[in-house]
Amino acid sequence: MAKVFAIANQKGGVGKTTTCINLAASLVATKRRVLLIDLDPQGNATMGSGVDKHALERSVYDLLIGECDLGEAMHFSEHGGYQLLPANRDLTAAEVVLLEMQMKESRLRNALAPIRENYDYILIDCPPSLSMLTLNALVAADGVIIPMQCEYFALEGLSDLVDNIKRIGAKINPELKIEGLLRTMYDPRLSLINDVSAQLKEHFGEQLYDTVIPRNIRLAEAPSFGMPALAYDKQSRGALAYLELANEMVRRQRRKARTAAAV
Ligand SMILES: Nc1ncnc2c1ncn2[C@@H]1O[C@H](COP(=O)(O)OP(=O)(O)OP(=O)(O)O)[C@@H](O)[C@H]1O
Ligand SMILES: [Mg+2]
């Protein structure tokens, strides 16, 4: 049964999409079956997966409003090796259309229910907002992965996101947890980075991934070729860091499964 993770942070440009694409490809490289869901009208994860967002007949929008079934919207990322539910600007309308629908926060969760067993991991790329779309992702997910840049203001927005996760947990999805906090675009030369890292460790403890993603030009270049860094330059520091993250994630899952079995 797939673990479903929402990659979320309402702050823009922190590396959500980069993490989604590269983590998906790295999990495939470790022989996991992966589905990536683009839930952002910007369609960046779609383009970065090598699928043209302007040429979609069906997208995750049609799926959410019940206009098509999963098979019709599904694509495959050739260079990433994962399945993709793509998005484009059509998804902007979902904010309004969903409001009038029943079970509006659970549309994605219900749509995924029949295929969860076909995958090991389902990753959802969220838009930079705490919108109805992000809410659908948080209701569908078992856990949230929060990418963030280690800068002073990063900690401020974080508390809004964490509050929201707790609120949703209490109300609709009690299973929802913070799966991990990921430091992206990491530059060890910045003097405040150790302070911020220490604060994160203090607040989030084990939830902070040991793996950090360095600032790496290959990670920024690869999406314009519709590729993860692993396909574009597999020796790059960026590609290697995301492979390490995939391994850390899989190790965590195993440890959790062992602990649960022992109880
Ligand atoms: N580790 C990295 N090193 C260098 N550039 C990066 C790195 N991670 C992301 N970038 C670049 O930073 C920009 C923002 O990254 P990305 O699109 O992944 O963020 P995002 O959180 O998904 O943004 P949005 O909130 O708009 O959806 C992109 O141009 C991306 O290529
Ligand atoms: Mg994005």
Side-chain angles (χ1 to χ4, degrees), residues 13-18 38 40 42 44-45 125-128:
V14 294
K16 293 181 287 295
T17 302
T18 305
D38 189 353
D40 184 348
Q42 296 182 96
N44 293 343
D125 188 26
C126 293

Side-chain angles (χ1 to χ4, degrees), residues 157-169 178:
L158 211 55
S159 58
D160 291 341
L161 183 60
V162 171
D163 285 351
N164 247 45
I165 292 168
K166 285 187 185 145
R167 206 170 313 134
I168 290 164
I178 295 177

Side-chain angles (χ1 to χ4, degrees), residues 243-262:
L243 265 182
E244 196 179 316
L245 177 66
N247 284 319
E248 186 177 355
M249 254 180 80
V250 170
R251 276 199 309 274
R252 270 190 189 191
Q253 294 298 320
R254 276 208 208 107
R255 207 166 46 224
K256 278 184 192 162
R258 269 203 305 271
T259 317

